[in-house]
Amino acid sequence: MKIKVLTAVSAALIGSAGLALADPDEDQLVINGDLEIVTEAAAPDHLSDVMDTIYSGWRFRSDETQELEMDDFDNPGMIFVDQAMDSWASAEGSEGKSCASCHGDDPSESMAGVRAVYPKWNADAGEVRTLAMQINDCRENQMGADAYKYDSAPMAAMEALIAVQSRGMPVNVAIGGPAAETWEQGKALYYTRTGQLELSCANCHEDNYGNNIRSDHLSQGQINGFPTYRLKNAKLNTVHGRFKGCVRDTRAETYSPGSPEFVALELYVASRGNGLSVEGPSVRN
Amino acid sequence: MASGVKPRVKVPKSASAGEDIVIKTLISHPMESGQRKDSSGNKIPRSIINRFTCDFNGENVIDVTLEPAISTNPYFEFVAKVPEAGEFKFTWYDDDGSVYEEAKSIAVS
């Protein structure tokens, strides 16, 4: 009898320890001592059946990694923002234009709020466009320059420069109207199992966030913090680069960065984070 | 020849006399170790920052020797005592002979 009681107690202990590990932590993210970032919000309506609260990936990281994002000097991603600022002002291509020629010398005015609403329906093109697609449209059609490779370092840096101008603003991508078809496609991809491991995005990031997958503490897979500086590869990572890594880890052939499938998935995943603050460039492990 | 090298430092604008202040420095640099090979098997030559110094009003604060195992974008954070108003001077020495400098003034209140 006594043994049974002991077993029950230890089972309860193990259970509670597991729960403590499963939760995101309670830390608050304030950047540079004055910019408050929303890392926890009520889930958007379209997620009401599956979760109540959405969390930024920041809340799932260790204190040491979290600290790196709390001061721009410590955030290694800001190095790339500086690099992109140089690109912003330098003319390239046959038209002799730079980003600054049209958008002004100071991106904090022209680019404020942009990252928060992308991917976004482009009526002229009749398609949903990501920030990267829009950057390349500018480069090819306005500047007469070569497009950046979709998930390349200069593209990630330019995305970071644009993202940082919206830091602290709530993600608010539109999913209705003309974007609805793409959004539905993205949703279908999110719930489709792929690869030899037969895992969908949802298996890890909806059913098991907070749990450990080997040594990794699974987050909700929110993309409000992209582009993300990852300690594992010491560079900025784009959303599509990360998607590719995730799909590869299910042991599947992946879609290409910039493919229509990943654009649709980006729209859907971004919409799951509606309400969280734009954080890019964030720091993750 | 390393490209995209850019030094950054963070020093408080003012301090009280004799106060210990925290200084943060970072230089963006690839820190190529010399141990790696490229896709065709050729050795990639070493290219690192090999020395970093900080002086305050001509007096040395720290002098650091960097080795090839230090990773990209080396970051130093250290504490210095500020006896009087003056200027911190930071110098990074590159393997290729380049010298990068940065200076920050601090007032004493």
Side-chain angles (χ1 to χ4, degrees):
Chain A
M1 188 64 202
K2 201 176 177 187
I3 292 169
K4 267 188 183 167
V5 171
L6 275 178
T7 317
V9 169
S10 59
L13 278 175
I14 291 165
S16 64
L19 266 182
L21 193 71
D23 290 333
D25 67 17
E26 295 297 321
D27 295 339
Q28 300 290 313
L29 175 54
V30 180
I31 295 176
N32 298 334
D34 60 4
L35 179 62
E36 286 182 27
I37 299 290
V38 175
T39 56
E40 176 177 347
D45 292 341
H46 66 86
L47 286 183
S48 57
D49 292 343
V50 294
M51 56 176 67
D52 298 327
T53 312
I54 52 175
Y55 299 98
S56 161
W58 185 83
R59 295 279 292 276
F60 295 86
R61 302 281 65 93
S62 68
D63 287 349
E64 294 84 354
T65 308
Q66 287 181 333
E67 272 177 28
L68 288 172
E69 201 180 311
M70 298 174 80
D71 184 318
D72 279 349
F73 195 89
D74 295 341
N75 183 340
M78 297 308 286
I79 291 172
F80 302 93
V81 171
D82 280 356
Q83 287 174 1
M85 198 59 224
D86 293 341
S87 318
W88 180 269
S90 55
E92 276 184 76
S94 58
E95 304 301 310
K97 286 194 209 168
S98 67
C99 306
S101 308
C102 296
H103 300 288
D105 290 335
D106 184 2
S108 72
E109 290 173 19
S110 54
M111 292 295 138
V114 171
R115 169 65 173 81
V117 296
Y118 270 83
K120 185 181 168 188
W121 176 257
N122 183 310
D124 293 339
E127 62 181 2
V128 170
R129 281 195 175 169
T130 62
L131 198 50
M133 290 161 80
Q134 201 58 54
I135 291 168
N136 270 343
D137 181 75
C138 269
R139 288 185 61 82
E140 289 184 302
N141 298 323
Q142 305 292 334
M143 297 163 66
D146 291 337
Y148 288 141
K149 187 167 171 286
Y150 195 91
D151 55 350
S152 61
M155 176 63 90
M158 187 56 72
E159 286 183 54
L161 175 67
I162 294 171
V164 85
Q165 316 305 337
S166 305
R167 222 164 34 165
M169 297 180 186
V171 175
N172 185 22
V173 299
I175 61 174
E181 192 187 335
T182 309
W183 184 81
E184 289 291 348
Q185 187 198 355
K187 184 176 180 181
L189 283 165
Y190 191 88
Y191 287 101
T192 302
R193 289 171 180 264
T194 62
Q196 289 179 312
L197 299 183
E198 292 199 287
L199 291 169
S200 72
C201 308
N203 292 138
C204 288
H205 296 292
E206 184 173 292
D207 303 339
N208 279 299
Y209 68 84
N211 291 333
N212 275 49
I213 181 167
R214 299 186 74 177
S215 64
D216 282 333
H217 194 201
L218 281 170
S219 74
Q220 288 184 343
Q222 298 288 358
I223 57 173
N224 59 307
F226 276 84
T228 289
Y229 182 89
R230 296 192 71 193
L231 302 174
K232 71 171 270 183
N233 57 15
K235 68 181 180 93
L236 278 182
N237 294 263
T238 61
V239 174
H240 289 204
R242 192 69 193 89
F243 284 168
K244 189 177 155 188
C246 257
V247 176
R248 182 203 60 214
D249 289 349
T250 72
R251 300 188 190 161
E253 288 285 334
T254 76
Y255 300 107
S256 307
S259 62
E261 290 84 359
F262 272 173
V263 171
L265 186 60
E266 180 175 348
L267 174 65
Y268 177 69
V269 176
S271 78
R272 292 175 68 100
N274 274 353
L276 296 173
S277 294
V278 173
E279 249 180 66
S282 62
V283 185
R284 303 286 188 262
N285 52 0
Chain B
M1 188 69 192
S3 64
V5 180
K6 188 169 177 182
R8 299 164 174 78
V9 294
K10 188 173 181 181
V11 177
K13 288 196 171 57
S14 67
S16 48
E19 187 185 347
D20 290 332
I21 59 158
V22 173
I23 295 175
K24 293 176 176 180
T25 77
L26 185 149
I27 186 161
S28 46
H29 193 283
M31 297 292 280
E32 186 60 57
S33 70
Q35 305 285 333
R36 302 198 304 162
K37 288 174 179 170
D38 65 17
S39 51
S40 36
N42 302 315
K43 203 169 173 182
I44 305 173
R46 176 183 131 158
S47 170
I48 67 168
I49 298 283
N50 55 46
R51 184 179 172 213
F52 166 68
T53 63
C54 170
D55 297 297
F56 181 69
N57 289 348
E59 186 188 351
N60 185 251
V61 178
I62 58 167
D63 191 336
V64 184
T65 302
L66 286 82
E67 302 290 350
I70 292 174
S71 55
T72 186
N73 305 335
Y75 171 95
F76 290 107
E77 179 177 327
F78 51 95
V79 175
K81 198 183 279 293
V82 186
E84 67 216 11
E87 188 182 64
F88 281 100
K89 192 158 167 273
F90 305 88
T91 316
W92 292 260
Y93 299 86
D94 197 308
D95 272 352
D96 66 16
S98 308
V99 175
Y100 309 99
E101 290 181 331
E102 184 78 36
K104 289 279 176 183
S105 303
I106 184 163
V108 163
S109 53

